[in-house]
Amino acid sequence: MFKNLLIYRIVPEWTVDFVDLDAALGKARFAECGATQPMALGWTSPRGDAHAPLVESVAGHWLMSLMVERKLVPGSVIKRQVDALAAKIELETGRKPGRKAKQDLKDQAMLELLPQAFTKRGSVRVWIAPAERLLAVDCGSQSKADEVLTALTEALPGFAARPINTAVSPAAAMAEWLVSGEAPAGFTIDRDCELKAAEGEKPAVRYARHTLEIVEIREHIAAGKQPTRLALTWNGRVSFVLTEGLQVKRIGFEDGVFEKQPGASRDENFDADAAISTGELLPMIGDLLDALGGEQALGEPAAGTATPASAAAPAAAQAPAPASAGGGSTRPPASDIPPWENETAA
């Protein structure tokens, strides 16, 4: 169900119940682009049914879907239309349009071309774990996640979410794991990683389907390269790639995690997939945050990037806190939990 997750913590000040959430999103339901509208976005049913609710609650988790539609007008087509309009003006007036006039012509060309343009649609899954105040956006780019956050902020009064900041930076933790050859408790290191230099042209070294327990990788880290991606598996159940920006990409569930029930309906399969996915990913995210030393307030720097000297030998000060093999908690510190959440949890 989920492929790539960008993870956020919802601010404690925002409170809403399930019914109010669906009603609020209903005011921003998706409508396709108008004739001269370059882009449209809005909320659709996560089940893919036209008249189904815009928010689904499965096993205590809320699932939503943001649809984004864009008109596709190639730059070369716009340029050709602008050149044609400019040539017509020159023929009629004897003068070539200036820079400002050219920009006006570009706007005019876009308005003329948009009604004829093809459209491209894509949906982004959104997952909220309300008890943990966790928001996860299923996309691979920050720009798409920003569109989701903007849409949520516009639809939900008082809503805000912040990126999760960890005590140990993912790059420093990944360097430590690769140098020591030991993943944190509950995780195993797989066979893909990427290392990049921190400055200059940022040369990169990539390993794909390759054992990572080699001297060469430790030498790259000692020379100053930092891990930017590392493939991991959690408890033999969920594989993924961790990035330096704390993105969880290329999520895959190992054999046996999903078991389709013969004869199950489409809705039953949706509910089962949602329950299993969130049930596996929530404790995995908790263990991952624990492995990175836990959360800390924004503005406080994460533990420093590994230097060649520190990467060459184990450093207790940089080592991330061990995670519980039974599944870590994704809850923030108790002092940061608002009263409404305590009531929900009770």
Side-chain angles (χ1 to χ4, degrees):
M1 175 168 279
F2 300 106
K3 296 298 182 185
N4 305 286
L5 293 181
L6 277 70
I7 307 164
Y8 302 86
R9 187 70 74 188
I10 299 171
V11 296
E13 295 80 17
W14 181 69
T15 62
V16 71
D17 63 29
F18 178 77
V19 175
D20 290 341
L21 177 60
D22 188 76
L25 296 188
K27 299 175 182 178
R29 187 181 291 270
F30 173 76
E32 64 183 22
C33 288
T36 58
Q37 187 180 2
M39 185 184 80
L41 56 80
W43 299 97
T44 61
S45 162
R47 292 183 186 271
D49 298 331
H51 303 293
L54 297 179
V55 186
E56 293 286 349
S57 179
V58 179
H61 298 268
W62 298 347
L63 302 173
M64 299 164 283
S65 180
L66 183 73
M67 179 71 74
V68 181
E69 181 180 71
R70 289 182 172 86
K71 291 282 186 74
L72 303 178
V73 184
S76 59
V77 176
I78 297 173
K79 182 179 184 303
R80 189 161 60 243
Q81 183 76 352
V82 169
D83 290 344
L85 293 171
K88 182 179 179 182
I89 291 174
E90 184 177 1
L91 183 64
E92 293 173 349
T93 66
R95 294 176 304 180
K96 291 184 177 182
R99 181 178 299 177
K100 184 179 183 305
K102 277 283 190 77
Q103 182 58 50
D104 292 339
L105 291 177
K106 186 176 181 180
D107 295 340
Q108 179 184 339
M110 279 292 292
L111 286 174
E112 293 175 355
L113 292 168
L114 280 173
Q116 310 167 45
F118 291 104
T119 59
K120 180 180 179 180
R121 287 185 184 180
S123 59
V124 181
R125 288 190 182 276
V126 182
W127 161 32
I128 290 179
E132 292 78 14
R133 297 204 311 273
L134 193 77
L135 166 70
V137 181
D138 187 3
C139 65
S141 72
Q142 188 61 56
S143 61
K144 287 185 179 180
D146 289 343
E147 287 180 343
V148 170
L149 292 173
T150 298
L152 286 170
T153 302
E154 291 176 349
L156 307 174
F159 177 87
R162 60 175 186 257
I164 290 178
N165 192 42
T166 55
V168 180
S169 73
M174 289 188 290
E176 176 66 25
W177 302 338
L178 286 168
V179 168
S180 66
E182 295 183 6
F187 294 87
T188 55
I189 297 173
D190 293 339
R191 302 199 303 157
D192 294 340
C193 82
E194 178 182 75
L195 304 161
K196 283 186 180 180
E199 298 177 355
E201 297 181 355
K202 296 189 176 182
V205 179
R206 296 180 180 89
Y207 295 87
R209 298 178 296 278
H210 192 290
T211 179
L212 303 183
E213 295 181 354
I214 55 176
V215 174
E216 182 180 295
I217 289 180
R218 294 195 289 272
E219 290 175 344
H220 281 304
I221 294 173
K225 289 187 177 67
Q226 289 284 293
T228 56
R229 294 170 180 259
L230 179 62
L232 299 165
T233 293
W234 174 76
N235 281 347
R237 299 180 66 80
V238 183
S239 62
F240 64 97
V241 172
L242 175 65
T243 76
E244 61 183 336
L246 194 53
Q247 297 176 356
V248 178
K249 295 194 169 187
R250 286 169 40 191
I251 295 170
F253 295 91
E254 301 301 311
D255 293 341
V257 175
F258 284 93
E259 294 183 3
K260 297 290 185 182
Q261 296 297 322
S265 68
R266 179 166 162 264
D267 281 343
E268 289 171 335
N269 282 330
F270 177 91
D271 290 342
D273 288 352
I276 293 170
S277 296
T278 55
E280 295 287 337
L281 291 172
L282 189 63
M284 185 210 79
I285 291 170
D287 279 356
L288 181 60
L289 296 180
D290 286 346
L292 297 173
E295 291 180 60
Q296 64 180 32
L298 286 175
E300 295 181 19
T305 302
T307 61
S310 61
Q318 290 188 357
S324 161
S329 170
T330 57
R331 296 179 66 78
S335 60
D336 198 28
I337 299 174
W340 67 270
E341 185 179 331
N342 286 330
E343 293 170 4
T344 302

